[in-house]
């Protein structure tokens, strides 16, 4: 049996109808924790989809964990699914993600937090950092949001 996921536009293979029913109805804390820790990004995407449908109600710790997922596709999907109240609630995490090493995550976080002075923050981070420890995402973020006056580090 195969269903089409409108959310990810990918086929979802369902072997056993009983398992399909559990996956549709039973989103227990244990299942959410296991899915969030699964090494397979498809399982984590399934979890994000299920949580997005419920608008992440009551899952703040899990939202923070999924925002910082190693897969940029997971992080950006979570960011795109947040409502304005949740964006305000997770502003500090999203602000850090605006300087991520992943371009899609930086763009999604900046879009969610607009308007903010990302170039100014990137300049502050570059000036405060030891040159050997500057994160590539900070440099990239400055390049994406700064102007000509940011070309030289003072």
């Amino acid at each position: 049996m195969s269903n089409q996921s409108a959310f990810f536009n990918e086929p979802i293979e369902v072997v056993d109808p009983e398992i399909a029913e559990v996956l549709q109805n039973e989103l227990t804390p244990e299942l959410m924790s296991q899915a969030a820790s699964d090494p397979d990004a498809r399982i984590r995407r399934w979890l994000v989809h299920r949580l997005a449908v419920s608008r992440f109600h009551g899952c703040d710790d899990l939202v923070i964990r999924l925002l910082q997922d190693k897969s940029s596709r997971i992080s950006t999907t979570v960011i795109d699914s947040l409502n304005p109240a949740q964006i305000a609630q997770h502003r500090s995490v999203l602000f850090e993600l605006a300087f991520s090493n992943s371009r899609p995550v930086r763009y999604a976080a900046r879009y969610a937090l607009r308007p903010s002075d990302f170039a100014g923050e990137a300049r502050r981070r570059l000036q405060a950092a030891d040159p050997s420890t500057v994160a590539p995402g900070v440099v990239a973020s400055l390049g994406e949001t700064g102007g000509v006056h940011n070309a030289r580090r003072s």
Side-chain angles (χ1 to χ4, degrees):
M1 170 189 262
S2 177
N3 294 331
Q4 189 71 20
S5 167
F7 192 77
F8 293 108
N9 207 18
E10 295 176 4
I12 300 173
E13 295 299 323
V14 179
V15 178
D16 183 347
E18 187 175 304
I19 293 173
E21 185 176 332
V22 168
L23 291 177
Q24 291 298 340
N25 300 322
E26 301 290 327
L27 201 54
T28 64
E30 181 182 348
L31 180 61
M32 289 189 295
S33 179
Q34 288 175 347
S37 300
D38 199 281
D40 189 340
R42 291 174 297 181
I43 300 298
R44 296 191 313 274
R45 279 197 341 246
W46 167 82
L47 176 63
V48 170
H49 169 66
R50 292 290 298 148
L51 292 174
V53 168
S54 68
R55 301 306 293 167
F56 301 103
H57 182 68
C59 302
D60 294 334
D61 292 339
L62 202 52
V63 168
I64 291 170
R65 188 169 160 190
L66 291 167
L67 280 169
Q68 299 168 335
D69 196 271
K70 61 187 172 190
S71 167
S72 63
R73 191 169 186 186
I74 302 297
S75 298
T76 56
T77 302
V78 174
I79 293 168
D80 293 342
S81 300
L82 296 175
N83 65 38
Q86 292 165 322
I87 289 170
Q89 180 181 0
H90 299 295
R91 184 171 181 75
S92 62
V93 175
L94 290 167
F95 198 77
E96 287 303 313
L97 291 175
F99 303 99
S100 167
N101 290 343
S102 167
R103 183 173 37 173
V105 173
R106 286 193 308 271
Y107 276 61
R110 285 198 307 259
Y111 184 79
L113 294 172
R114 68 192 185 285
S116 289
D117 182 18
F118 298 109
E121 178 61 21
R123 280 192 301 276
R124 284 188 286 283
R125 289 179 184 218
L126 284 172
Q127 290 170 346
D130 176 5
S132 64
T133 61
V134 173
V138 174
V139 175
S141 184
L142 182 58
E144 294 159 355
T145 60
V148 175
H149 62 282
N150 298 121
R152 295 183 62 165
R153 181 177 177 191
S154 48

